[in-house]
Amino acid sequence: MRLRDAATHAQAQASSRRDSSFLRGAAELKHQDRQERCWTRAPLYRRRQQSEAYKHFSICAPYLELYEELTLKELIDFHFSFKASIPEIDKKDFAKILELDKAESKQVKFFSSGMKQRVRIGLSLLSDVSAIFLDEPTSNLDQKAAQWYKDLIEKYRKDRIIFVASNGQSDEYFFTKEKIEIENIKPS
């Protein structure tokens, strides 16, 4: 797989079993040339700087665990001690962007599933990374939160490659220019 333009977005529509496999495979993408913004498939474990790979992509999926013993503020501080936030935001404004500013001092274990999904989405989209992998991003979100996701994508997706694995909910991949149907891909 070769992607040449950060404005190119790929979307996979598949059964929930196969969309996760797609994301795992896509997460093996390796940045080849900063000038061309070209990505090719190469296992990350083969990279010399494997320990730095996490700085170049983020993953959001409803099954990914959060450190629930931490408060939202502590979780934000912890996350951004490893990854930089995008230049447009200040870490202090993160909870407000998530519309969770009233829960900033609350432990994550007391959050609803929708609140946790907002945190996952925010950590992914507001990290300064080149590639973002979203697996069913609107899972556990009500209508208002799904609109929040769409607004956040519109505002912060620039200059990045975004993969969305979805079971056909067009609200999850409304911004994509390219759609990849997993069922149509033949193994090589």
Side-chain angles (χ1 to χ4, degrees), residues 19-62:
D19 61 359
S20 295
S21 298
F22 170 76
L23 280 183
R24 284 189 200 108
E28 292 180 352
L29 292 174
K30 174 175 117 171
H31 197 247
Q32 287 290 314
D33 183 339
R34 287 214 178 271
Q35 297 295 347
E36 288 187 51
R37 289 197 177 270
C38 173
W39 291 73
T40 58
R41 184 180 160 93
L44 288 174
Y45 62 82
R46 291 187 185 155
R47 296 186 65 193
R48 274 194 180 147
Q49 297 120 358
Q50 178 186 7
S51 63
E52 300 293 311
Y54 70 92
K55 292 182 179 179
H56 302 286
F57 66 92
S58 62
I59 300 172
C60 171

Side-chain angles (χ1 to χ4, degrees), residues 14 29 34 36 60 68 72 74 89-90 108 113 115 168-169:
L29 292 174
R34 287 214 178 271
E36 288 187 51
C60 171
E68 295 194 337
L72 178 58
E74 292 168 338
I89 68 152
D90 188 322
V108 175
S113 57
M115 292 167 76
Q169 293 187 24

Side-chain angles (χ1 to χ4, degrees), residues 67 70 73-83:
Y67 290 103
L70 301 178
K73 183 180 181 335
E74 292 168 338
L75 182 62
I76 293 164
D77 289 341
F78 180 73
H79 177 81
F80 289 117
S81 71
F82 294 99
K83 287 187 181 183

Side-chain angles (χ1 to χ4, degrees), residues 106-118:
K106 189 177 186 180
Q107 282 183 303
V108 175
K109 69 181 173 184
F110 297 114
F111 283 16
S112 69
S113 57
M115 292 167 76
K116 289 177 184 176
Q117 187 65 358
R118 278 183 187 249

Side-chain angles (χ1 to χ4, degrees), residues 11-161:
Q11 182 274 329
Q13 180 177 352
S15 67
S16 58
R17 177 184 271 176
R18 292 182 76 189
D19 61 359
S20 295
S21 298
F22 170 76
L23 280 183
R24 284 189 200 108
E28 292 180 352
L29 292 174
K30 174 175 117 171
H31 197 247
Q32 287 290 314
D33 183 339
R34 287 214 178 271
Q35 297 295 347
E36 288 187 51
R37 289 197 177 270
C38 173
W39 291 73
T40 58
R41 184 180 160 93
L44 288 174
Y45 62 82
R46 291 187 185 155
R47 296 186 65 193
R48 274 194 180 147
Q49 297 120 358
Q50 178 186 7
S51 63
E52 300 293 311
Y54 70 92
K55 292 182 179 179
H56 302 286
F57 66 92
S58 62
I59 300 172
C60 171
Y63 49 82
L64 292 179
E65 295 294 326
L66 297 169
Y67 290 103
E68 295 194 337
E69 300 78 26
L70 301 178
T71 64
L72 178 58
K73 183 180 181 335
E74 292 168 338
L75 182 62
I76 293 164
D77 289 341
F78 180 73
H79 177 81
F80 289 117
S81 71
F82 294 99
K83 287 187 181 183
S85 63
I86 56 175
E88 302 93 279
I89 68 152
D90 188 322
K91 203 170 52 168
K92 294 180 288 188
D93 299 327
F94 191 84
K96 187 175 181 177
I97 293 169
L98 296 181
E99 297 179 357
L100 295 173
D101 42 326
K102 293 183 174 132
E104 197 170 31
S105 301
K106 189 177 186 180
Q107 282 183 303
V108 175
K109 69 181 173 184
F110 297 114
F111 283 16
S112 69
S113 57
M115 292 167 76
K116 289 177 184 176
Q117 187 65 358
R118 278 183 187 249
V119 173
R120 290 182 194 101
I121 291 168
L123 291 175
S124 293
L125 287 175
L126 301 176
S127 293
D128 191 12
V129 294
S130 303
I132 301 169
F133 301 90
L134 303 171
D135 189 354
E136 300 183 10
T138 60
S139 283
N140 302 315
L141 298 183
D142 60 21
Q143 265 188 316
K144 182 181 178 216
Q147 183 59 51
W148 166 85
Y149 159 78
K150 290 169 76 172
D151 295 342
L152 204 67
I153 284 280
E154 281 295 334
K155 188 169 184 178
Y156 297 111
R157 70 184 168 110
K158 296 179 206 115
D159 299 324
R160 302 196 272 180
I161 295 173

Side-chain angles (χ1 to χ4, degrees), residues 11-15 19 136 165-173 179:
Q11 182 274 329
Q13 180 177 352
S15 67
D19 61 359
E136 300 183 10
S166 175
N167 288 322
Q169 293 187 24
S170 61
D171 280 358
E172 293 182 330
Y173 57 87
K179 183 176 179 180

